[in-house]
Amino acid sequence: MNRFLPVFRTALLSAALLDAGAAYGKDFVIYDRMDYVGKPDLTDAKLSKVFLIYETELVMPDPTGQRKHGVLNEKRIRELAQQSYREGYRTISTDIESWFHEKDGQLLSPETLKQDFARMYQIFREENPHAYISNYSLPNEHLHSIRFYRPQQSNDEILAKWQQSGKRRHSSAAISDYASPVFYIATPNMKQWEQDVETMVADIKQRYPQQKIIAYLWPQYYSASGSPHFKQFVDAERWRKMLEVSYRHADGVIIWSDKRDEHGKIVRWEDPRVQSIMQATQAFIAKHPHKIAVESLQKPALDFYLNKP
C-alpha cells in the first residue's frame, strides 16, 4: 500500500469540507444539456444554456495517417466558435475523450494534449471574446466509475489508479477556464458517491484554487457496461440530494442526457421519469431562490458583428 495515500485522502477531504462551507455564499448555475425529445426552452425555469461540442465535430482523421487519435479540425472549430459568438454563448464545453486513452498502440503525451487544447481554446477565444471554455472531465477522471469497475480493490488502490489516470490531464486543465469534473452516479450508494465527489473537488481545489467548478450531472445512472442500474433513471429524492451535494461543492452543474433509457428506447420530455426529475430540480431551485444564477445569451449587436475582423 502506498503509505502517502492516507495522508493524501485526509488532506483532500479536509479541504473539501472547508470549501463546502464557503460554497453556500455563492451563485450557482444550472446548465441544461438534456437531449430528451421534445424538450422546451428551460430558461424561464432558471436553467442556463451551454455550448457543448462533441469530439466528432472537433477532431478529424489525420490526413497523414500517423496520428491514430486524429487531429484538430480547425476549419470546423472556427465555424463553431463563430456560431457560439453569433448565438450569444459564454460557457463552452468541448467533449474530447479519446485523446486521454491509448488508441491502436498510441498514447498522446501530456505536452501534446496541452498543445492541442491550447490551440482549440485559442480559436474559440479569437472568434468569441466572451468564451469561457473547458473540456469534459478535466482535470481528473470520473472517480466513481473507476470505483465501480474495481469492486474487489481497496480504497487506496482505487485512489492510486485515479491519481495515476489524472496525471496526463493536469497540464491541459491548467490552461482551461474552469474545471469540469464528472459527478455521474453509478450505483444507488449515495454515501460513496458523495465521498467520491468530495475527493474529486478537494483535488481540484488543491491544484487549481482559482478555477470555478462546473460539474457534469446525469439524471440517469452511469452507462457502465454490466451494471444492473445501466441508464435507469435516478429517483427524484436521490436526484434532489445530488443537486444539493453539487451545490455545496461546485459552482454549477451541466445537466446532461442522451435520448435513450436502459432499454434503448427513445425518451420524450413528457415521460413521467423526466418530469419527476424536473420537479425535483424545481424544488431544489425553489429552496435557493436567490442563489441560482441564470446565464442568459448575449448576442452581439449586428453592426459590431459585421465589423468583426
Side-chain angles (χ1 to χ4, degrees), residues 102-262:
E102 183 179 300
K103 187 171 184 179
D104 296 335
Q106 287 188 0
L107 190 65
L108 299 177
S109 69
E111 293 75 21
T112 298
L113 290 168
K114 179 181 178 181
Q115 176 181 313
D116 283 5
F117 276 109
R119 177 56 182 157
M120 181 171 64
Y121 292 169
Q122 178 187 358
I123 294 172
F124 267 96
R125 289 164 181 154
E126 287 173 355
E127 300 297 338
N128 184 349
H130 307 300
Y132 185 62
I133 187 168
S134 186
N135 190 76
Y136 174 90
S137 199
L138 285 179
N140 47 35
E141 200 166 345
H142 183 200
L143 174 58
H144 200 57
S145 67
I146 291 177
R147 185 180 304 281
F148 174 84
Y149 285 117
R150 291 165 176 78
Q152 304 305 320
Q153 292 187 0
S154 70
N155 190 54
D156 286 343
E157 290 173 320
I158 291 168
L159 287 177
K161 171 63 179 176
W162 172 69
Q163 291 171 46
Q164 182 62 36
S165 67
K167 287 181 179 179
R168 300 178 59 256
R169 301 169 185 255
H170 293 162
S171 58
S172 298
I175 60 170
S176 301
D177 290 328
Y178 61 92
S180 187
V182 179
F183 286 1
Y184 297 163
I185 191 168
T187 76
N189 187 340
M190 280 293 295
K191 182 178 179 180
Q192 185 61 69
W193 173 81
E194 184 170 359
Q195 289 175 354
D196 289 341
V197 165
E198 289 176 350
T199 300
M200 294 174 68
V201 167
D203 180 64
I204 293 169
K205 294 290 188 181
Q206 184 181 67
R207 297 179 188 279
Y208 314 100
Q210 303 305 315
Q211 287 190 0
K212 289 191 173 183
I213 299 174
I214 303 174
Y216 269 84
L217 271 188
W218 189 0
Q220 295 167 243
Y221 284 101
Y222 181 62
S223 54
S225 58
S227 170
H229 310 288
F230 178 89
K231 294 186 73 173
Q232 294 177 9
F233 274 81
V234 175
D235 64 86
E237 181 180 357
R238 185 172 278 104
W239 177 250
R240 173 79 178 272
K241 290 178 181 177
M242 290 172 68
L243 288 170
E244 292 289 354
V245 170
S246 299
Y247 176 71
R248 288 200 299 270
H249 296 291
D251 301 283
V253 291
I254 297 172
I255 302 179
W256 180 90
S257 82
D258 61 11
K259 295 180 175 69
R260 298 184 183 274
D261 65 9
E262 68 270 30

Side-chain angles (χ1 to χ4, degrees), residues 32-36 39 50-60 71-73 76-77 80 92-99 117 120 124 134-136 184 216-218 254-259:
D32 162 39
R33 202 51 181 82
M34 293 176 282
D35 207 18
Y36 301 121
K39 183 196 70 180
V50 58
F51 197 77
L52 170 61
I53 318 107
Y54 294 109
E55 184 168 338
T56 52
E57 291 207 81
L58 300 167
V59 178
M60 65 181 186
V71 296
L72 289 174
N73 186 344
R76 181 58 180 149
I77 291 170
L80 289 164
I92 296 165
S93 178
T94 56
D95 182 14
I96 297 178
E97 300 180 45
S98 71
W99 284 3
F117 276 109
M120 181 171 64
F124 267 96
S134 186
N135 190 76
Y136 174 90
Y184 297 163
Y216 269 84
L217 271 188
W218 189 0
I254 297 172
I255 302 179
W256 180 90
S257 82
D258 61 11
K259 295 180 175 69

Side-chain angles (χ1 to χ4, degrees), residues 3-19:
R3 63 190 178 91
F4 295 107
L5 280 174
V7 175
F8 169 80
R9 181 168 61 251
T10 300
L12 286 185
L13 294 180
S14 296
L17 292 173
L18 288 172
D19 289 322

